[in-house]
Amino acid sequence: MSASLQISKDHPLFDEVAQIDRAKRNPAHFAPLYKFYHERIFLYIFKRVEEEEIAYDITSCVFVKALTYLNRYEHRGLPFSSWLYRIAKSELNQSFRDKKAQRTVSIDSMQLGVVMEEFNIDENEHQREILLKVLPLMKDKQLQLIEMRFFEKRSFKEMGEILELTENNAKVKTFRALIKLKELYTKHNHQK
């Protein structure tokens, strides 16, 4: 990954709403927004495709689209990042439909342990293997909720902003996704 200049939101030069307004008037002023959000959007995409070149291509599409449609963006009290994540989600889905990218689930041991704790499952290699086998069997929207909550450690509020849901709806849908995952896990576990 290339290193990009990170501008802290606490930095006096970074006032997001003002920066967006400047960028709407002159696209050259989009650069600070790009620099601030590029790495986050790239990592969000990379975790879902695990191919660096494809992740960079999709990330580029996200920012081209963001710049192209910036005049349509309206500040509604949500961070600009929510809008970028929604564009990224749309670009990812399009890439999956076009078969340019294959959907992956990026999980490390610690993250998987959190899901296993949620199920009150003793953490052992056999149980981990079963959980890893059933995760890809979930519907994409359910899997995305599990990923965002447990693997990316996002709050329900942030999940709602990205997925265009209320915070409460994000909680309910995540709970339902967990129930489905547990059903798949239990079914697969009893088949062994």
Side-chain angles (χ1 to χ4, degrees), residues 129-147:
E129 286 175 19
I130 293 171
L131 197 52
L132 287 170
K133 284 180 185 175
V134 299
L135 275 168
L137 301 177
M138 297 186 69
K139 291 180 181 174
D140 192 54
K141 288 181 180 184
Q142 294 171 326
L143 185 56
Q144 186 174 33
L145 290 162
I146 300 290
E147 279 180 317

Side-chain angles (χ1 to χ4, degrees), residues 30 34 37-39 41-43 45 52-68 84 87-88 91-92:
F30 188 73
Y34 172 84
Y37 289 112
H38 181 270
E39 188 171 347
I41 297 299
F42 171 80
L43 290 173
I45 292 167
E52 193 170 0
E53 189 175 320
I54 291 173
Y56 276 119
D57 288 347
I58 296 171
T59 303
S60 293
C61 291
V62 169
F63 283 98
V64 166
K65 218 169 234 182
L67 184 57
T68 302
L84 292 174
I87 295 170
E91 290 298 308
L92 272 166

Side-chain angles (χ1 to χ4, degrees), residues 74-169:
E74 293 177 21
H75 180 72
R76 296 181 180 163
L78 300 174
F80 184 65
S81 61
S82 297
W83 188 63
L84 292 174
Y85 281 117
R86 285 195 299 270
I87 295 170
K89 183 181 104 186
S90 175
E91 290 298 308
L92 272 166
N93 289 337
Q94 186 61 50
S95 187
F96 297 146
R97 281 191 297 273
D98 294 346
K99 306 285 189 229
K100 292 178 186 171
Q102 188 170 8
R103 177 78 158 95
T104 60
V105 181
S106 185
I107 305 169
D108 70 25
S109 297
M110 194 144 188
Q111 296 164 327
L112 195 57
V114 172
V115 176
M116 294 178 82
E117 282 178 23
E118 189 75 28
F119 289 172
N120 295 319
I121 300 171
D122 291 331
E123 197 171 336
N124 66 50
E125 196 58 37
H126 175 69
Q127 307 296 39
R128 296 170 81 73
E129 286 175 19
I130 293 171
L131 197 52
L132 287 170
K133 284 180 185 175
V134 299
L135 275 168
L137 301 177
M138 297 186 69
K139 291 180 181 174
D140 192 54
K141 288 181 180 184
Q142 294 171 326
L143 185 56
Q144 186 174 33
L145 290 162
I146 300 290
E147 279 180 317
M148 292 175 87
R149 181 67 182 164
F150 296 100
F151 306 153
E152 296 174 4
K153 306 281 191 237
R154 295 186 188 275
S155 69
F156 289 116
K157 183 176 192 266
E158 187 178 12
M159 290 169 62
E161 291 168 359
I162 293 169
L163 301 172
E164 297 181 273
L165 302 169
T166 64
E167 182 177 351
N168 193 49
N169 203 356

